[in-house]
Amino acid sequence: MKDYNVNKSEAEWKEQLGLERYKILRQKGTEFPHSGKYNMHFEEGTYVCGACGEPLFASNSKFNSHCGWPSFDEALPGKIEYVKDTSHGMIRTEIMCANCGGHLGHVFDDGPTQTGQRYCVNSLSVDFKE
């Protein structure tokens, strides 16, 4: 296992996060599309890791991708870890918080902005700070 700046036992994570967030952030789950509170949220501020509070995405990088999950075209520098994911018969790039290893979602090369990126993030894996 990788050593992150924030390390806790699975029991500590489960107690801190609750079952829904634990399933997403620690067990690499996915929330149902169009169910997350940040899917259509467009206020100014910063999206932070739902497990450790590390800033991950600026609100000006968020866009409506119509995919059912919050989408961003870039992450804050050095805040995301990228891991090849071959689960479910697909080849994707998983995105994780570089500070605690929490699962955020996946990044795809089909974004409509100049970056060409679409960071597809579970609402349960982030919080919002104005």
Side-chain angles (χ1 to χ4, degrees):
M1 268 191 49
K2 184 175 175 177
D3 193 31
Y4 291 96
N5 291 333
V6 177
N7 289 297
K8 296 182 181 190
S9 71
E10 291 307 304
E12 290 172 314
W13 280 123
K14 192 178 285 186
E15 182 178 330
Q16 175 191 327
L17 299 172
L19 291 179
E20 275 191 298
R21 282 191 131 180
Y22 178 80
K23 181 181 173 189
I24 303 292
L25 282 156
R26 306 307 304 173
Q27 296 183 317
K28 303 179 187 294
T30 302
E31 63 195 8
F32 290 108
H34 306 286
S35 67
K37 69 179 180 179
Y38 296 123
N39 182 38
M40 298 305 292
H41 181 265
F42 293 100
E43 295 180 26
E44 287 188 36
T46 304
Y47 293 86
V48 301
C49 177
C52 71
E54 186 74 8
L56 302 171
F57 302 98
S59 61
N60 64 359
S61 69
K62 191 169 187 305
F63 65 95
N64 184 3
S65 69
H66 306 284
C67 71
W69 291 275
S71 296
F72 303 86
D73 67 359
E74 66 182 347
L76 294 174
K79 301 298 184 173
I80 301 291
E81 180 178 3
Y82 302 88
V83 178
K84 184 177 181 179
D85 177 1
T86 58
S87 65
H88 306 291
M90 298 180 272
I91 299 173
R92 303 178 289 177
T93 302
E94 178 186 5
I95 52 174
M96 298 165 51
C97 173
N99 194 50
C100 72
H103 172 76
L104 304 170
H106 293 86
V107 63
F108 302 96
D109 293 326
D110 62 2
T113 70
Q114 286 183 330
T115 70
Q117 301 291 296
R118 177 174 55 93
Y119 289 78
C120 188
V121 177
N122 291 288
S123 284
L124 287 169
S125 65
V126 294
D127 285 319
F128 180 77
K129 304 291 182 193
E130 289 185 20

